Amino acid sequence: MLQIKQDLISKELISMNENNLCQLQNFACVLCKRTDDHPEKYGEKKTYHDYNLTVHYYCLLMSSGIWQRGEEKDGVYGFLIEDIRKEVNRASKLKCCICKKNGASIGCVSSKCKRSYHFPCGVQKECIFQFTENFGSFCWDHRPVQNTPSGHCTVSSQCTICLEYVEHFPTYSILGSPCCKNAWFHRDCLQVQALSAGKFFFKCPLCNNNDKFQSEMLRMGIHIPEKDASWELEENAYQELLQHYQRCDVRRCRCKEGREYNEPDSKWEIKRCQYCGSSGTHLACSSIRTWRQNWECFECRSIIYNSGNFQRPKKRSLPNSENIGITNCLLEQPSPKFSRQSPRTQNKDSLRSPKILHQGSLAPNSCLDKPPCSRRLTLISPLINVAAKNPSTKRQVTTLKRDVSNILRELGYQIRQKTRKLSINKDNIWDSTIKGFRRRNFNPSDTIEVLFCNGNENINGSKHEFLSLLMGHLESSSLFEGSMSKNLSFNSEALKENLYYEAGRMIAISLVHGGPPPFLFSKTLFNCLVYGPENTEPTLEDVEDNNVIEIITKIKSSKNLTHLKSAVRDCFEYLSQIGCLRLVTMLSDKDMLVKDILMSHVIKRVKAPLDSFQEGLKTLDVLEKMQKYPEAFYSILCHKPERLTTKILSDLFTMHMLSEAQDTRAMGFWMSYLQDVESGESVITLEDILVFATGCRSIPPVGFQPTPSIKFLPADYPVGSKCFNSLTLPITNTYEEFQENMDFAIRNALGLAKEKKYYTGY
């Protein structure tokens, strides 16, 4: 009985497999005999049960012996069923030159070529199929090719569609733009974009050229369907545009009913920005008297103002307009009330009221008539000259130097309330940050929350501490070279993994999100980013390679032409390799030769890393602001932060008093402790105290948020809360006890971190 049951089961399985095979064959394309369903690769796959017919659209379209004799609704895409069966019968007699199976319906259009193949086989063998005119196909020997650029050298850049690196050399899988000289793309990326955009929206991603770009892409085998873009066909895709924005976005909303409250024909009616319409304010919150009065949000106002097209109404001159004319031109926007927390913050008079800002009388040829970039540069020198004559204007110079904080606060308005939590491993901060930044749902404009994950323990972390650790790691990264001021190094593995882009993005995110800068740029690297490599002259200090330094020094120290020629002969191979070999006919040629070597080694050698790094710095518009205000960013990217002092640290923290008698004594202990630390009488430094309380070793350009605070409690040891930038100090009976407890707690808390060696990869 058991044997009979097993035989019955075996027969049923065989019968099921035969049925499945039969069904599978029914769903195979009648032309290529494949069941694959890849619309972007083989076209839409359609099955017609009435005719027992399944076919790929591209297989049908490219077959050599069939034409559309019907309307679009007739048969299959206008191909009549009887014609399709005739084509299948014709192809069954032809053998594919690639897979050696019958059914090869496509032939190479070259008159001397007799090759036939299936469409999927042709794609696999890199044949080209032209979806235009006569729908010709070309085998791998006769396919059209793009011209190689004259004077070609192997360089690479990012495909602007997928942002992966692509070599500047035309192949089957790499296509160049006919309208943009240095634009190169992956074939697969272009095909996906063409299918999505359709004929009416498919254009060059860089210059938006339509006709020339589409013509070349069709010639090279990109299928551009005659349809509307996919986003235009989506139902209710733009439904949100029909909704009016109803929220008050000013910094201090005065409405007790909340920011979303809107009462028409009253002072609590919401007025939208006249330019973008995506920001709003209650009439009362912005002192707007009537609904007819226009209102602009801060972002639109700053864009229009910086474009040079902003016309302010003329105002009556103030009695002291002569004294504030220069400052008026320098301070473009009133800064939000957010203190920088440094000793210079105490000089509140250095920042004039926004109402005074543009009330000075301006001559017809004043600096405000010039573009913003030239306006700032022309004002620096006069301001310094005035300061030299009049000491009272020194505070205005300080305001100019600190202008970067206002710029970064302005960029900070891009940050949304939506939060994004990053899981960070302190022992492997580089990899965990890369992983978090590369997630699909990560957006640099989201508010960052940090979760430190060490082993099985997850702790809510400080954003300032995370960004400070990340910038510290970046300073010692192999992406840069140099001991003090750093230039980009050439690391092929890092370039392949797009790490230079990530480094630039990390710096931009740190600056805008209130973190510290890296303090590592050399003057040469900064000038390359701001003014362009072609306008930058590197120096010998930028070279880290000892062999290159020796070559340059030898050429530079040549006393006569004979010594110079000897030096060139000695390094003939190196000069040939970098393309700097030149004929020297006089001693002065050595200067040009040295200049060429420096340009080649410091700048041209790292062109690809520099381009990638610049793309990363474009995050949150940081690079654009750097190029617009170079002197402001130079102060934070190329210089170490000012050294902490007792006054800076004491002014930084806000005191919360409990008991006046006890707190007064504890405050005296705190000030004495800071003075002892500054004078070197403790193993602790002022930077260690700042790290203990905030996670940062220096004050960020935009200050801390929330403001650092101190409170005193009857406890044995101090407690630092980095998430809230707060420091809880113990109330002790003697100063010696206070000092001992402070030293022990801070040394113990930071000692663990100092003993660990963080990941030192890229």
Side-chain angles (χ1 to χ4, degrees), residues 240-292:
E240 63 274 9
L241 296 181
L242 302 177
Q243 301 175 1
H244 292 300
Y245 189 83
Q246 299 288 348
R247 191 177 189 276
C248 178
D249 295 308
V250 297
R251 182 172 288 273
R252 291 185 178 179
C253 178
R254 301 176 182 176
C255 182
K256 296 181 180 179
E257 301 295 331
R259 292 183 177 273
E260 283 77 20
Y261 182 72
N262 180 32
E263 184 181 346
D265 300 324
S266 73
K267 65 178 182 180
W268 301 121
E269 184 172 3
I270 290 181
K271 176 80 174 177
R272 289 180 294 278
C273 172
Q274 65 169 327
Y275 294 111
C276 68
S278 59
S279 293
T281 176
H282 290 116
L283 299 183
C285 295
S286 293
S287 301
I288 300 176
R289 296 181 179 179
T290 66
W291 174 258
R292 295 180 179 179

Side-chain angles (χ1 to χ4, degrees), residues 190-259:
L190 285 170
Q191 185 59 78
V192 172
Q193 183 169 344
L195 292 175
S196 176
K199 182 178 181 179
F200 304 106
F201 288 92
F202 183 59
K203 56 189 72 174
C204 176
L206 271 69
C207 69
N208 288 335
N209 181 285
N210 188 299
D211 297 335
K212 190 175 181 181
F213 186 76
Q214 282 196 16
S215 177
E216 176 67 6
M217 293 304 109
L218 287 170
R219 186 180 77 89
M220 296 308 298
I222 300 298
H223 178 220
I224 309 173
E226 292 190 14
K227 65 166 190 174
D228 212 342
S230 57
W231 55 86
E232 295 288 343
L233 301 175
E234 184 179 346
E235 187 177 0
N236 296 327
Y238 304 100
Q239 187 68 27
E240 63 274 9
L241 296 181
L242 302 177
Q243 301 175 1
H244 292 300
Y245 189 83
Q246 299 288 348
R247 191 177 189 276
C248 178
D249 295 308
V250 297
R251 182 172 288 273
R252 291 185 178 179
C253 178
R254 301 176 182 176
C255 182
K256 296 181 180 179
E257 301 295 331
R259 292 183 177 273

